[in-house]
Amino acid sequence: MQNTHRICTAPVYNTWIELTFHQTQDGVLQYAQEILQNGLPPGVLMIDDGWSVCYGRWQFSREKFRDPASMLAQLHRLGFPVMLWICPFVTPDTPEYRELERRGLLVTSANGLPHIAHWWNGWSAVLDMTKPAARRWLKQQLDDLQALGVDGFKFDAGDSVYYPSDGIATGDEHCRAWAAFGEQYSFNEFRVTSGAGGWSLTQRLCDKDHSWDNTGLAALIPDAIVQSLTGHPFLCPDMIGGGEYRNFYSQERLDQELVVRWAQVACLMPVMQFSAAPWRILSSENYAEVQQAVALRKRYLPALEKALAACRETGEPVLRPLAYNFTGAACSRIMDQFMIGGDLLVAPILEKGATSRPVYFPKGRWLSSSGHLLESSGEVRTVEMGIHIEIFEKRCESI
């Protein structure tokens, strides 16, 4: 079982939106220090793409990271476990590429030559993770990083579309081999897997746009419900505000209300992940609402940990649709509320400018986070939300 305590109970921080491909020792340390200076708790810190020498040579670039061991030690002292972004790609025309080609450890096309995949960062060869020798080759590099002080890895890419359709193994087999390799690390994160339901993996939803519609905020709960029910309990509703960085940076003006609502949706999901620094992009008033969302997560942490413990014992999802816990046709149609375990009903605001929303309450007594006891025979009620999210604790089934 992965280290769910730090990944699921404290916020996760990813350097991607702040630093993109320009990861540096100074930039990473500044980001971590500003997290604490702005009143957020320490949690897992992910250093994203751009930290390494090249793809396939998984060593810190000494041009960007003058003393990675000391940086990692400093981050640990501040309370941050550290994860690094990696992918199964290998930059061509490097010593690593030539060694792997000679040893037959690269994915090949039908003609027997190394397959060069076209992915979002250009063209790369692909390490054949279906081969034990390739896995050993990669693990040795990751062992060296862990000896330096790295705690785990963000296993990006691996998408079946980056493997040749005429290869010996299918794209899904390669994708599954990538996930199986990553499961050995107690700190891991994946964006895409194949056939890995029930595995001990942190699964982030695909990169979302900075938008209110079903490419952004509106997709979070439905996608999370599907992911939960297919055996991926340790899910993350993408980076708060949207992780599709080209869309994020193409905005003429960021929608501060959207960022706040995103944080409120994420605060009671299994993993809450920041990337864009909320203290930088939000007004003090809106940033205070984000801090309230983090405080709300801490308040309900015992219920989240209870659901995590149940998941470890039974495999039941942490995040659940209402229909998982309650009978009735109405429950099966609801995709904008969710349960944490069997006790907490979470209903966030999902429409711009709204201060209230309809909430379906299964039959029973429900205690709101603001302290009001509500009795329901199984009905929809309009709820005014001062902080734009309400959490209702199930008290009993009969009224």
Side-chain angles (χ1 to χ4, degrees), residues 158-165 167 169-177 194:
D159 312 56
S160 59
V161 296
Y162 300 127
Y163 297 95
S165 58
T170 67
D172 283 348
E173 287 173 313
H174 283 289
C175 183
R176 190 157 48 252
S194 175

Side-chain angles (χ1 to χ4, degrees), residues 144-188:
D144 292 343
L145 288 166
Q146 290 197 297
L148 199 63
V150 173
D151 297 285
F153 303 93
K154 172 181 175 179
F155 294 89
D156 206 358
D159 312 56
S160 59
V161 296
Y162 300 127
Y163 297 95
S165 58
D166 58 358
I168 296 174
T170 67
D172 283 348
E173 287 173 313
H174 283 289
C175 183
R176 190 157 48 252
W178 183 234
F181 177 82
E183 193 183 21
Q184 68 186 291
Y185 296 93
S186 61
F187 289 96
N188 66 63

Side-chain angles (χ1 to χ4, degrees), residues 249-324:
Y249 279 107
S250 69
Q251 307 293 320
E252 291 184 10
R253 177 179 296 180
L254 291 177
D255 189 327
Q256 295 199 25
E257 183 185 357
L258 174 65
V259 175
V260 172
R261 301 296 163 262
W262 205 302
Q264 290 167 342
V265 172
C267 75
L268 262 294
M269 286 197 175
V271 178
M272 181 183 196
Q273 184 171 151
F274 290 99
S275 188
W279 58 86
R280 176 181 66 83
I281 63 176
L282 299 178
S283 67
S284 58
E285 180 181 0
N286 285 323
Y287 181 56
E289 288 202 55
V290 169
Q291 289 178 299
Q292 288 176 17
V294 174
L296 202 62
R297 184 180 185 86
K298 183 177 181 181
R299 174 180 169 183
Y300 287 99
L301 187 56
L304 180 59
E305 291 183 320
K306 178 182 176 182
L308 288 166
C311 177
R312 286 192 289 269
E313 290 296 323
T314 68
E316 291 187 285
V318 178
L319 182 150
R320 305 173 182 179
L322 268 64
Y324 188 94

Side-chain angles (χ1 to χ4, degrees), residues 207-381:
D207 296 354
K208 303 297 186 188
D209 290 346
H210 182 78
S211 72
W212 291 84
D213 62 21
N214 59 9
T215 66
L217 185 75
L220 299 185
I221 297 177
D223 286 4
I225 286 173
V226 171
Q227 197 166 66
S228 292
L229 294 179
T230 54
H232 303 90
F234 311 114
L235 66 95
C236 170
D238 200 22
M239 303 168 186
I240 290 169
E244 212 308 305
Y245 80 102
R246 288 162 296 194
N247 174 272
F248 193 93
Y249 279 107
S250 69
Q251 307 293 320
E252 291 184 10
R253 177 179 296 180
L254 291 177
D255 189 327
Q256 295 199 25
E257 183 185 357
L258 174 65
V259 175
V260 172
R261 301 296 163 262
W262 205 302
Q264 290 167 342
V265 172
C267 75
L268 262 294
M269 286 197 175
V271 178
M272 181 183 196
Q273 184 171 151
F274 290 99
S275 188
W279 58 86
R280 176 181 66 83
I281 63 176
L282 299 178
S283 67
S284 58
E285 180 181 0
N286 285 323
Y287 181 56
E289 288 202 55
V290 169
Q291 289 178 299
Q292 288 176 17
V294 174
L296 202 62
R297 184 180 185 86
K298 183 177 181 181
R299 174 180 169 183
Y300 287 99
L301 187 56
L304 180 59
E305 291 183 320
K306 178 182 176 182
L308 288 166
C311 177
R312 286 192 289 269
E313 290 296 323
T314 68
E316 291 187 285
V318 178
L319 182 150
R320 305 173 182 179
L322 268 64
Y324 188 94
N325 289 31
F326 305 99
T327 59
C331 289
S332 65
R333 296 191 295 268
I334 294 171
M335 298 294 282
D336 61 355
Q337 302 171 211
F338 60 92
M339 298 289 297
I340 291 295
D343 298 327
L344 294 185
L345 187 156
V346 184
I349 289 283
L350 299 171
E351 295 183 5
K352 186 173 177 62
T355 58
S356 65
R357 59 155 291 169
V359 178
Y360 177 79
F361 293 95
K363 184 179 179 180
R365 288 188 173 93
W366 298 88
L367 182 66
S368 75
S369 53
S370 53
H372 299 293
L373 187 64
L374 180 149
E375 296 186 353
S376 172
S377 58
E379 65 222 38
V380 175
R381 299 191 185 184

Side-chain angles (χ1 to χ4, degrees), residues 1-162:
M1 178 60 65
Q2 64 161 314
N3 195 321
T4 54
H5 181 72
R6 294 306 301 273
I7 291 179
C8 290
T9 59
V12 172
Y13 306 93
N14 186 294
T15 61
W16 178 241
I17 295 294
E18 289 299 303
L19 302 177
T20 60
F21 296 103
H22 310 292
Q23 309 287 321
T24 65
Q25 181 164 332
D26 290 340
V28 169
L29 288 173
Q30 180 178 342
Y31 184 59
Q33 289 160 352
E34 289 182 357
I35 289 168
L36 304 181
Q37 290 165 3
N38 285 280
L40 293 177
V44 172
L45 180 68
M46 297 182 183
I47 301 175
D48 217 285
D49 187 8
W51 63 272
S52 63
V53 176
C54 62
Y55 302 128
R57 187 185 307 171
W58 300 113
Q59 301 169 4
F60 280 97
S61 165
R62 292 296 176 154
E63 294 179 3
K64 298 179 178 182
F65 295 85
R66 59 188 174 277
D67 189 351
S70 110
M71 177 194 71
L72 292 165
Q74 185 173 349
L75 289 170
H76 287 157
R77 286 195 298 272
L78 294 173
F80 295 94
V82 182
M83 295 172 63
L84 296 179
W85 180 98
I86 66 168
C87 64
F89 300 124
V90 179
T91 302
D93 297 327
T94 60
E96 290 73 20
Y97 172 87
R98 290 189 284 275
E99 176 193 351
L100 293 167
E101 181 185 24
R102 177 183 59 79
R103 295 176 60 187
L105 300 182
L106 296 173
V107 173
T108 58
S109 298
N111 59 11
L113 297 176
H115 171 67
I116 303 298
H118 186 208
W119 60 299
W120 62 82
N121 283 342
W123 298 85
S124 298
V126 189
L127 186 65
D128 191 341
M129 296 298 293
T130 68
K131 295 183 175 179
R135 297 194 294 270
R136 289 194 296 270
W137 180 86
L138 178 58
K139 188 174 187 305
Q140 181 57 63
Q141 294 196 64
L142 303 193
D143 285 349
D144 292 343
L145 288 166
Q146 290 197 297
L148 199 63
V150 173
D151 297 285
F153 303 93
K154 172 181 175 179
F155 294 89
D156 206 358
D159 312 56
S160 59
V161 296
Y162 300 127

Side-chain angles (χ1 to χ4, degrees), residues 382-398:
T382 298
V383 178
E384 295 291 332
M385 299 189 180
I387 61 169
H388 302 95
I389 182 172
E390 266 291 4
I391 299 167
F392 300 91
E393 185 176 356
K394 180 184 170 189
R395 308 303 282 184
C396 63
E397 294 182 358
S398 59

